[in-house]
Amino acid sequence: NAGVTQTPKFQVLKTGQSMTLQCAQDMNHEYMSWYRQDPGMGLRLIHYSVGAGITDQGEVPNGYNVSRSTTEDFPLRLLSAAPSQTSVYFCASSYGQTNSPLHFGNGTRLTVT
Amino acid sequence: AQKVTQAQTEISVVEKEDVTLDCVYETRDTTYYLFWYKQPPSGELVFLIRRNSFDEQNEISGRYSWNFQKSTSSFNFTITASQVVDSAVYFCALSSGEGGANSKLTFGKGITLSVRP
């Protein structure tokens, strides 16, 4: 049972480049979300999804897109990378939306130069 | 609006000391859930405990205990006889509402605990 799998683990981008962070879970969880972690800021919600075909914005959505075509996958797209997007990104899923414990992926460390 | 405050940013203790990590929350909802997560130096985030707003019983799990007090809007975490392996960043989080699509999960900024041998 793999849980939540994020790829890649590390990524370096130049300003203006685009990329997709992949997230997949094999627990049949309906709720999935993306967070970014910055020093001294805790975890901030970027986007979330309560089921296939349904997504919504979190606290810091600007510069990011998501889609949820299947229950398993929830990719995060950076449209035009900026240095302010340098961060550690975590994907998480849970069974019962936000009142259930989150299962986190191992994170993606992204650096934008 | 909901808010989680972890006023302590860094705590350093010597092994075998007891340490309490504070968490104060704000919400207008009567139904809510509180969580603690641990992030060891390896970077992964690990769920420790969930408590709902209707259950004020304290919880003990080995060396870990949690004190939930609605009167002071606090959900504090105590590690008894700390060990080096307890060194991590600890996050408190709050989810208010019934857990439906409009509920939000808010994290505190985290407390970095260093346990020295």
Side-chain angles (χ1 to χ4, degrees), chain A residues 50-62:
Chain A
V50 299
I54 306 168
T55 63
D56 206 347
Q57 296 180 352
E59 181 185 355
V60 287
N62 292 340

Side-chain angles (χ1 to χ4, degrees), chain A residues 8 34 53 60 69 73:
Chain A
W34 278 100
V60 287
S69 56
D73 299 300

Side-chain angles (χ1 to χ4, degrees), chain A residues 31 35 37 40-45 48 50 56-58 88 90 96-106, chain B residues 33 35 37 39 43-47 50 89 91 95-105 107-110:
Chain A
Y31 183 85
Y35 289 87
Q37 182 179 15
M41 301 295 290
L43 290 155
R44 292 182 293 168
L45 182 64
Y48 66 97
V50 299
D56 206 347
Q57 296 180 352
V88 179
F90 287 96
Q97 300 183 29
T98 57
N99 59 354
S100 296
L102 290 172
H103 298 256
F104 284 91
N106 286 334
Chain B
Y33 296 81
F35 304 82
Y37 290 87
Q39 186 177 41
E44 73 272 22
L45 284 149
V46 179
F47 163 74
R50 179 185 74 166
V89 181
F91 291 98
S95 169
S96 62
E98 296 289 340
N102 293 324
S103 67
K104 302 293 183 188
L105 180 64
F107 282 84
K109 295 185 177 180

